[in-house]
Amino acid sequence: MSAPLTPQDTVERALAASKADGCMVVVGERSETNLRWANNTLTTNGEMRSRSIAVLSVIDGASGTAAGVVERSTVTADLLEDLVRASEQAARDAGPAEDAQPLVEPLVEPSGWDAPPDETSIRVFADFAPALGEAFDRARSDDRLLFGFAEHSITSLYLGVSTGLRARHDQPTGRLEVNGKSPDFSRSAWVGRATRDFTDIDVAGLDAELTRRLGWAQRQIDLPPGRYETLVPPSAVADLMIYLYWSAAARDADEGRTVFSKKGGGSRIGERLSDLPVTLRSNPAEPGLECAPFVAATSSNAADSIFDNGLPVGPTDWIRDGVLTSLLRPRWWASRSGGNPTPAVDNLILDGPDGGRSLEEMVAGTERGLLLTCLWYIREVDPQTLLLTGLTRDGVYLVENGEVTGAVNNFRFNESPVSLLGRIGEVGSSGITLCREWNDWFTRTAMPALRIGDFNMSTVSKAS
């Protein structure tokens, strides 16, 4: 068996082997390291390396252009041609692709194409791990238990197209989740953070936050279901806005299938969704949330097209000052429906008016309401309204006269993030946050806390 090829050699040899009318090759080189702990003790740590290869062949025929995609976890030099042939056969077996477009031509010289993949290692935790050990010591002395994990990865993405286009991006991704629990497990609190390199993680501060929340939960309060004034923290706002973003394909809206469909046909672009000047946007150059500035898709759907691979991705406002301004629109749908292509970006930011208060200041300004920690097990109920259901978890607190007075039972909620935008009572200051439910797939968000006057807690949940 021959030795593995470099990512760049893999791209070039696959393109050279192609006999199709067009070819795209996407290689992802990933390194990952992690720490996991339970009961105030490290349980596992590890480092992993992996590679993914996707060959996308394009074949022109009498009835149209077809595409075939074959992916493998790793391929050596002597098996690479088999992968290319399999991709070409998949294209021949497929019917004409409705999203077919001319392959993207190179616009600029690739940056860092020849450099080896960037890598992470256990050394990324050099300062974090000792601070975590100190948190374990505090937890033992305070009769608390800490559980959680820290993960860091770097994926170096290499894209080659038979037009001559080459593009490369190194994406660091880090996430931290910590649960604090009482010894009898009757009280639980959660904190999470997104990071690029773990140098910005304040472990002592997070531990202090968990301690404070577990203290709040020493008083338990039963509340019935109902509509409550609720402070929704940035983490939970991120989970709701990500689902909105994933549901924002222009084609689905134009064809009447989503909350962004206009009665009588077309989309709701141009409609006001919020009376407050909130802006939902993406920007691959957003500080702290940087992501790939080009399309690298290995499958097509309503929001993405493999034929857009290499298309530059820029700043995009999805909602500007409360008005819906853009939906996810690949080139092929833009050519049919009008407007400019607006490809997906791998980050999401929600901004409110200047001067938004911190979550702590919003609590201090609350006469009576609920303070959420996070949402969990979110599922869609109705795509026409984007009604979602899910559970609260790891701490719902009662706020009275500006202070948290105890923890209440968990609830099932039923809410639409689009409806919530129209019912916001206050928007806090926006900052980088980690969503709880979707952080396996989407970690780059900046969100504010929101005050919702009538958040729908539909039933009491016994989940804990």
Side-chain angles (χ1 to χ4, degrees), residues 135 138-139 142 144-146 176-182 187-193 201-218 231 233-235 358-361 363 371-374 393-397 399 404 407 433:
R138 285 192 298 274
D142 294 345
R144 294 180 291 117
L145 299 174
L146 297 180
L176 165 68
E177 293 195 56
V178 189
N179 273 95
K181 295 182 182 294
S182 59
R187 293 174 286 143
S188 180
W190 174 88
V191 293
R193 291 292 184 274
I201 298 297
D202 176 8
V203 178
L206 294 174
D207 188 43
E209 181 62 28
L210 289 171
T211 302
R212 182 170 69 151
R213 295 182 184 181
L214 290 175
W216 289 341
Q218 287 181 337
L231 299 178
S235 172
S358 68
L359 181 58
E360 289 72 19
E361 292 170 328
V363 169
L371 169 64
L372 292 183
T373 298
C374 55
R393 186 175 185 181
D394 288 320
V396 182
Y397 306 100
V399 180
V404 176
T433 189

Side-chain angles (χ1 to χ4, degrees), residues 13 23 27-28 79 111 114 120 137 163 202 238 253-254 306-308 312 323 353 356-357 380 393 418-419 424:
R13 291 197 187 195
C23 185
V27 175
L79 297 176
S111 175
D114 294 327
T120 189
D137 291 340
T163 58
D202 176 8
D254 292 341
I306 61 172
F307 291 92
D308 287 352
V323 176
R357 298 191 290 181
E380 185 177 87
R393 186 175 185 181
V418 176
S419 174
I424 298 172

Side-chain angles (χ1 to χ4, degrees), residues 382-393:
D382 177 16
Q384 296 284 347
T385 59
L386 199 58
L387 180 64
L388 305 178
T389 190
L391 303 172
T392 63
R393 186 175 185 181

Side-chain angles (χ1 to χ4, degrees), residues 417-447:
V418 176
S419 174
L420 287 178
L421 288 174
R423 293 156 40 214
I424 298 172
E426 181 181 0
V427 185
S429 57
S430 189
I432 292 175
T433 189
L434 179 72
C435 63
R436 177 77 185 272
E437 171 78 315
W438 309 124
N439 70 42
D440 283 339
W441 299 277
F442 206 111
T443 60
R444 284 171 279 280
T445 59
M447 297 283 153

Side-chain angles (χ1 to χ4, degrees), residues 15 26 44 54 74-75 78 122 138 197 224-225 248 276 316 335 342 355 380 413 436 438 453:
L15 290 173
V26 181
T44 59
T74 186
V75 174
D78 54 342
I122 199 72
R138 285 192 298 274
D197 56 14
L276 292 178
T316 306
S335 68
T342 45
E380 185 177 87
F413 72 90
R436 177 77 185 272
W438 309 124

Side-chain angles (χ1 to χ4, degrees), residues 54-290:
V55 177
L56 303 85
S57 294
V58 176
I59 293 181
D60 296 327
S63 57
T65 298
V69 182
V70 176
E71 296 186 73
R72 295 285 186 271
S73 58
T74 186
V75 174
T76 53
D78 54 342
L79 297 176
L80 188 56
E81 183 163 348
D82 292 342
L83 180 64
V84 175
R85 298 285 92 81
S87 172
E88 292 167 351
Q89 187 60 49
R92 293 188 193 95
D93 294 340
E98 62 179 355
D99 60 329
Q101 293 285 303
L103 300 188
V104 176
E105 298 283 344
L107 295 177
V108 297
E109 290 294 321
S111 175
W113 175 260
D114 294 327
D118 202 359
E119 290 186 345
T120 189
S121 74
I122 199 72
R123 290 188 295 276
V124 76
F125 301 128
D127 294 328
F128 171 80
L132 184 65
E134 294 172 4
F136 291 162
D137 291 340
R138 285 192 298 274
R140 292 187 192 100
S141 63
D142 294 345
D143 205 18
R144 294 180 291 117
L145 299 174
L146 297 180
F147 300 79
F149 64 89
E151 294 180 343
H152 188 255
S153 67
I154 295 182
T155 299
S156 294
L157 194 64
Y158 297 81
L159 168 66
V161 183
S162 53
T163 58
L165 184 147
R166 301 289 184 273
R168 177 253 178 89
H169 178 74
D170 297 306
Q171 182 66 67
T173 302
R175 60 182 179 136
L176 165 68
E177 293 195 56
V178 189
N179 273 95
K181 295 182 182 294
S182 59
D184 62 357
F185 295 95
S186 63
R187 293 174 286 143
S188 180
W190 174 88
V191 293
R193 291 292 184 274
T195 178
R196 287 173 63 85
D197 56 14
F198 275 84
T199 61
D200 55 351
I201 298 297
D202 176 8
V203 178
L206 294 174
D207 188 43
E209 181 62 28
L210 289 171
T211 302
R212 182 170 69 151
R213 295 182 184 181
L214 290 175
W216 289 341
Q218 287 181 337
R219 181 192 178 204
Q220 298 285 326
I221 303 166
D222 290 329
L223 288 180
R227 289 185 175 272
Y228 290 92
E229 178 172 311
T230 300
L231 299 178
V232 186
S235 172
V237 173
D239 270 319
L240 295 170
M241 291 301 117
I242 288 169
Y243 210 102
L244 181 155
Y245 184 46
W246 285 343
S247 306
R251 177 186 180 174
D252 290 342
D254 292 341
E255 295 182 344
R257 290 193 290 270
T258 76
V259 68
F260 300 112
S261 302
K262 187 176 183 178
K263 291 183 179 178
S267 77
R268 296 173 63 187
I269 287 179
E271 282 192 21
R272 178 166 293 282
L273 302 181
S274 175
D275 292 333
L276 292 178
V278 293
T279 294
L280 186 69
R281 60 188 178 87
S282 298
N283 179 4
E286 185 74 13
L289 301 174
E290 295 88 344

